[in-house]
Amino acid sequence: MFIAAGLALTWATFKLTRPFRLWIIAQPKDTPIGRAKKIGGRLLYSSTLIVSFALGSAGAFMLFDWPMLIREIVLTFLMAAVVTWGVRMYVMAMLVPSFMNVENAVEVRALPITNEAADHWSYWLPRIVGVFAFFGAAFILLPGLGIDQDGMMVLSLGADFVLLLLLLLAIWRRPRTQRDGARHIGHTEATWLLTAYFVVLFLQRIAGLYTYFWFTFAAFFLPLAIVVTQRGVNFVLRPGSEDVGQPTIPAVTIAVIDRGIRMIFILAAAYLLARVWGLDMQSMRGSDTTTTFILRGLINVVVIALAADFGWSIIKALIERKLGIETPHPVISDEDVPVLDPQQARLHTLLPILQNILLASIIVMAVLMMLASLGIQIGPLIAGAGVVGVAVGFGAQTIVKDVISGVFFLLDDAFRVGEYISSGNYKGTVESFSLRSVKLRHHRGPLFTIPFGELGAVQNQSRDWVIDKFNITVGYDTDIDFARKLIKRIGLELAEDPEFKHWVLDPIKMQGVQEFGEYGIVLRVKATTKPGGAFGMKRKFYVRLRQVFKEQGIELPFPTVQVQGLQNPHGAENAPLEITPELKMAVAQSHTIRRRKKASTTE
């Protein structure tokens, strides 16, 4: 009767809270925030229905004056009914079974499972918990009804057997997932392993091995809860759909939620095992037994490790958020030289080093705190480490020099990841750093690993702007002013070309006459571009210049050799020319001059 009263109050609450249900339905399912609001709203709504059921059943019962025995019996079973109802509501809120008629239920669940799996566990979990709750209520009341310990053991054996059968039915009748379907034997193997596990739990319980029972229970359900929670958090907070711009949740938020829930589960399991083993956490401090001392140290070690993992996950997420999406290291080539955002390049340079330093610091501090919690005096260790550090510092001066030099290079902002630098015989794109060296990728492929102490003066070719100057030779009969106008016109055309427009700071133009060369007048040409922008543009300029000069009749001279004073000994005009040593020498000199000119032009 009182359970019916609880259901009636729940139905009334359901009717009165229609606006709240409509608000939950209206939340978008294509964004992580919208999915989180849907799940949070469903959990809050389920809690409201649970409270309504508890007030309508147990609360209504408490309004009347009952005999003590009836009061205890009915109230105990009503609390079991409230627990069963609460589990059913929360399971439905998290798994959203198909009979709730929710559109696209797969996308709004708290776990990435299919409709078949959601329906299966929504059916079996409340029933298993309900049977367990009513058995628990009965065993609470049995001693007061005169049942002795032997009778309790017999009834407990039967109740445990019924719960084992329910668990095995739920396991054997669970639907096959897509991954299991791809490998048919995997589903069967998992089913038999779960069966063996629950049978072992049953045997340990009936044998009275409660310590091993709870340890075996925690050894399976703790990792299961952690894995399920991690998958649920990643599924709910996954990036949104493309239709709404793919909104995302900061990685630090996901890390805090995931690591926080994991820490709660582990601490709860440790507290449960400590209670099962009969350890009083308050009295352990005053106990001098070896067992309690070791257990206390192990518990402190677990707490320190969890705190270190929690702090490191937050630091790592913050650094990854600052770095943004990881971009591939740019390669300097003759065709294209990308320019990175200066702020982002500096972050990519400093943050990985800071991340490694913080990781080493957290590990060292955590290890020292663990040793201290185990009763080991860390003062001598710290003092010894200081002495060893001084000795190593004197013995490894080169390493110390490299590390200190690297620190000052970074403080001076001499170079960043993605920039092209040269130092002595080394040049290339900065790919990464360590505490003592930098990696340079040459534009032809080789990778240099250079200690900071060997860098010396660094020439950075990727900052602000560059000026490229080169020469063009025209014939002595060329109109210099006309050639200057043609060069300027070509430079303006290239400056408006979409391929080079974003590189050009000052168009290509002629500075003046550089010198009178052997074969013509040497003109000096200059271009100001962003770092790396002059390579492809200069090639295009040469092609365009040759074409325009040819159209305008301007000759680009090339080396020639004139041989004078050679006469045909026979006096015949068309007779073959005699090959003399002087002629051979003149031809060789001509070839040498051409090779040198070609090499100079290529360079």
Side-chain angles (χ1 to χ4, degrees):
M1 180 182 66
F2 286 104
I3 288 177
L7 293 175
L9 184 58
T10 302
W11 179 83
T13 304
F14 176 80
K15 291 297 183 180
L16 293 175
T17 55
R18 185 173 182 272
F20 185 62
R21 285 187 284 114
L22 294 178
W23 178 84
I24 296 175
I25 296 173
Q27 298 305 309
K29 62 179 179 299
D30 298 330
T31 63
I33 296 295
R35 289 189 291 266
K37 287 183 178 180
K38 275 183 174 292
I39 295 175
R42 290 201 302 266
L43 291 175
L44 180 59
Y45 185 70
S46 299
S47 301
T48 303
L49 297 181
I50 294 169
V51 172
S52 300
F53 181 80
L55 292 177
S57 57
F61 177 79
M62 295 289 293
L63 294 177
F64 299 95
D65 188 15
W66 303 93
M68 183 59 67
L69 183 58
I70 294 179
R71 182 186 181 90
E72 183 178 358
I73 293 174
V74 176
L75 189 60
T76 303
F77 280 104
L78 284 178
M79 294 306 300
V82 171
V83 171
T84 305
W85 180 257
V87 171
R88 182 176 183 273
M89 289 292 101
Y90 285 134
V91 168
M92 291 176 62
M94 300 293 286
L95 301 184
V96 191
S98 59
F99 60 80
M100 293 179 64
N101 296 323
V102 176
E103 184 180 359
N104 295 327
V106 178
E107 299 181 5
V108 297
R109 291 191 180 114
L111 294 173
I113 59 177
T114 60
N115 290 328
E116 294 78 9
D119 293 343
H120 175 80
W121 294 113
S122 297
Y123 176 85
W124 282 102
L125 285 178
R127 284 163 174 76
I128 293 174
V129 173
V131 172
F132 179 81
F134 278 91
F135 278 158
F139 281 102
I140 291 175
L141 297 172
L142 286 179
L145 299 177
I147 305 298
D148 58 5
Q149 187 173 2
D150 294 335
M152 292 282 292
M153 291 182 61
V154 173
L155 293 175
S156 176
L157 178 62
D160 292 342
F161 186 73
V162 171
L163 288 173
L164 177 63
L165 290 179
L166 289 175
L167 288 170
L168 295 183
L169 281 174
I171 292 172
W172 282 91
R173 298 184 65 178
R174 78 187 196 279
R176 192 182 304 273
T177 61
Q178 294 180 357
R179 183 174 58 183
D180 292 334
R183 183 173 178 265
H184 182 74
I185 192 174
H187 181 84
T188 305
E189 289 177 349
T191 302
W192 278 108
L193 288 175
L194 290 173
T195 302
Y197 171 77
F198 284 109
V199 169
V200 169
L201 280 181
F202 173 74
L203 295 177
Q204 289 177 343
R205 179 167 175 78
I206 65 175
L209 304 175
Y210 296 108
T211 302
Y212 296 101
F213 170 83
W214 287 109
F215 182 79
T216 307
F217 179 85
F220 173 77
F221 281 98
L222 177 60
L224 177 64
I226 293 175
V227 171
V228 170
T229 301
Q230 183 179 16
R231 291 183 179 179
V233 171
N234 293 332
F235 180 72
V236 173
L237 301 181
R238 67 188 185 275
S241 62
E242 296 181 358
D243 297 337
V244 293
Q246 291 185 335
T248 58
I249 293 293
V252 61
T253 303
I254 299 177
V256 169
I257 296 174
D258 183 26
R259 294 300 195 278
I261 297 176
R262 178 186 302 183
M263 185 167 59
I264 292 173
F265 282 156
I266 295 176
L267 292 178
Y271 179 78
L272 174 65
L273 293 178
R275 298 288 294 180
V276 169
W277 291 336
L279 301 176
D280 189 354
M281 305 302 293
Q282 298 295 329
S283 62
M284 281 176 63
R285 297 182 179 180
S287 178
D288 294 332
T289 61
T290 304
T291 303
T292 56
F293 180 78
I294 294 176
L295 290 175
R296 181 179 61 189
L298 292 177
I299 292 174
N300 291 332
V301 166
V302 171
V303 173
I304 293 171
L306 288 174
D309 176 71
F310 185 72
W312 167 243
S313 63
I314 295 177
I315 293 173
K316 184 179 179 182
L318 287 173
I319 292 177
E320 290 178 352
R321 181 183 179 184
K322 283 291 184 181
L323 290 176
I325 300 176
E326 185 176 359
T327 55
H329 297 296
V331 178
I332 301 297
S333 66
D334 292 341
E335 300 295 333
D336 188 17
V337 181
V339 177
L340 297 181
D341 176 61
Q343 184 65 24
Q344 193 69 12
R346 185 159 176 79
L347 290 176
H348 276 79
T349 301
L350 297 177
L351 287 182
I353 298 178
L354 178 63
Q355 180 177 352
N356 295 333
I357 294 175
L358 291 177
L359 176 60
S361 302
I362 290 175
I363 292 176
V364 171
M365 289 190 297
V367 170
L368 291 177
M369 293 174 67
M370 290 177 184
L371 294 176
S373 66
L374 293 175
I376 300 175
Q377 297 295 327
I378 62 174
L381 292 177
I382 297 176
V387 174
V388 173
V390 173
V392 171
F394 282 112
Q397 297 182 18
T398 303
I399 297 177
V400 175
K401 176 185 175 182
D402 294 337
V403 173
I404 295 177
S405 299
V407 171
F408 283 102
F409 273 123
L410 297 179
L411 291 177
D412 293 338
D413 195 19
F415 43 80
R416 305 165 184 166
V417 172
E419 293 184 338
Y420 192 89
I421 66 172
S422 60
S423 175
N425 296 326
Y426 307 106
K427 60 182 178 180
T429 307
V430 179
E431 283 203 350
S432 62
F433 292 90
S434 66
L435 289 177
R436 65 173 297 269
S437 64
V438 59
K439 293 184 183 296
L440 298 183
R441 176 72 66 178
H442 193 270
H443 55 267
R444 293 181 179 175
L447 181 66
F448 298 108
T449 301
I450 311 168
F452 286 116
E454 297 182 9
L455 277 181
V458 175
Q459 184 184 76
N460 193 326
Q461 302 179 21
S462 298
R463 294 287 176 89
D464 302 328
W465 48 268
V466 295
I467 295 177
D468 189 19
K469 295 184 178 182
F470 51 97
N471 298 329
I472 298 173
T473 304
V474 297
Y476 279 103
D477 58 348
T478 303
D479 185 350
I480 301 300
D481 187 62
F482 182 60
R484 179 184 61 80
K485 293 179 180 179
L486 293 178
I487 292 173
K488 182 178 181 181
R489 189 183 74 184
I490 297 173
L492 293 175
E493 290 178 0
L494 293 178
E496 297 298 327
D497 191 329
E499 183 179 358
F500 309 109
K501 184 176 181 179
H502 64 284
W503 292 104
V504 177
L505 298 177
D506 191 11
I508 297 176
K509 59 185 178 181
M510 192 184 84
Q511 288 187 291
V513 176
Q514 179 71 13
E515 62 178 352
F516 292 104
E518 291 185 55
Y519 315 107
I521 302 176
V522 179
L523 305 180
R524 190 69 161 175
V525 181
K526 181 183 77 171
T528 304
T529 65
K530 295 179 181 179
F535 295 103
M537 189 172 65
K538 187 193 293 186
R539 290 187 176 89
K540 190 72 173 288
F541 173 76
Y542 282 144
V543 174
R544 181 68 178 141
L545 181 72
R546 182 179 180 277
Q547 180 183 0
V548 172
F549 274 16
K550 186 176 182 181
E551 293 174 354
Q552 300 296 330
I554 298 178
E555 180 184 358
L556 294 175
F558 54 89
T560 59
V561 176
Q562 296 181 357
V563 181
Q564 297 180 354
L566 296 179
Q567 296 181 353
N568 192 333
H570 300 287
E573 183 177 353
N574 296 326
L577 182 66
E578 181 180 358
I579 305 301
T580 63
E582 292 82 359
L583 181 59
K584 291 182 180 180
M585 184 178 298
V587 173
Q589 290 176 353
S590 175
H591 290 173
T592 302
I593 292 173
R594 287 190 178 189
R595 284 197 300 269
R596 291 178 179 176
K597 185 65 175 179
K598 184 178 180 180
S600 176
T601 304
T602 303
E603 184 177 359

